[in-house]
Amino acid sequence: MIVAVADTGPLIHLDEIGAINLLSAVDGLLIPQTVYKELKAGTVPPALSNLEYEIVEADTTELTVDLDPGETAALAVATERSAVLLTDDLEARDAANDLSIEVHGSIGVIVLAYHRDQLTKPKAAELMRTLQTETSLFITDAVVEQGIALLENSS
């Protein structure tokens, strides 16, 4: 069972390519109240209403990280609940690794959706490339190719 807590990044980036529904690949999706407020400050992706998720409070008092409030809240919830952290932020990924928290970004969500038979291999690869070319997320060619290799190396 995969319980994941989302930072703002994957929610925005997956929505930008019309693939926020892939977050249904996780068994439980948690969104910290702080992250939801960050979304509301811009625009909450309308497709988010099609997903099952729980808005949760985060206790960040124990964390000594220098991240933005949403990333800090998501990291705190991941720590408290032994959940996977979903973030596209490199500093948040490093902080999660330092705390031995499993962490994945938007590419990882696409890989999981493929493994859970929500996508074909060609569609998953296409979405990874689209993340790189048509969203506000900076992804290198090497990261896209690593993601595609994760699809290729599975049967």
Side-chain angles (χ1 to χ4, degrees), residues 1-105:
M1 179 162 171
I2 299 172
V3 175
V5 56
D7 180 20
T8 311
L11 298 171
I12 291 170
H13 301 131
L14 290 169
D15 184 61
E16 288 175 327
I17 62 169
I20 197 169
N21 63 307
L22 297 181
L23 287 166
S24 66
V26 300
D27 301 303
L29 179 61
L30 306 174
I31 300 175
Q33 182 69 39
T34 306
V35 169
Y36 195 77
K37 286 179 184 174
E38 287 180 354
L39 288 173
K40 283 175 57 175
T43 302
V44 176
L48 186 61
S49 66
N50 298 329
L51 291 174
E52 287 188 34
Y53 61 91
E54 179 184 353
I55 295 177
V56 296
E57 290 295 325
D59 178 3
T60 60
T61 56
E62 298 295 316
L63 285 181
T64 55
V65 294
D66 187 24
L67 302 171
D68 82 18
E71 292 157 354
T72 302
L75 187 59
V77 172
T79 302
E80 293 165 7
R81 308 248 185 141
S82 299
V84 174
L85 176 65
L86 301 178
T87 186
D88 290 321
D89 183 86
L90 184 57
E91 291 177 5
R93 292 175 78 91
D94 289 345
N97 286 326
D98 289 346
L99 295 169
S100 299
I101 294 170
E102 185 177 348
V103 60
H104 297 285

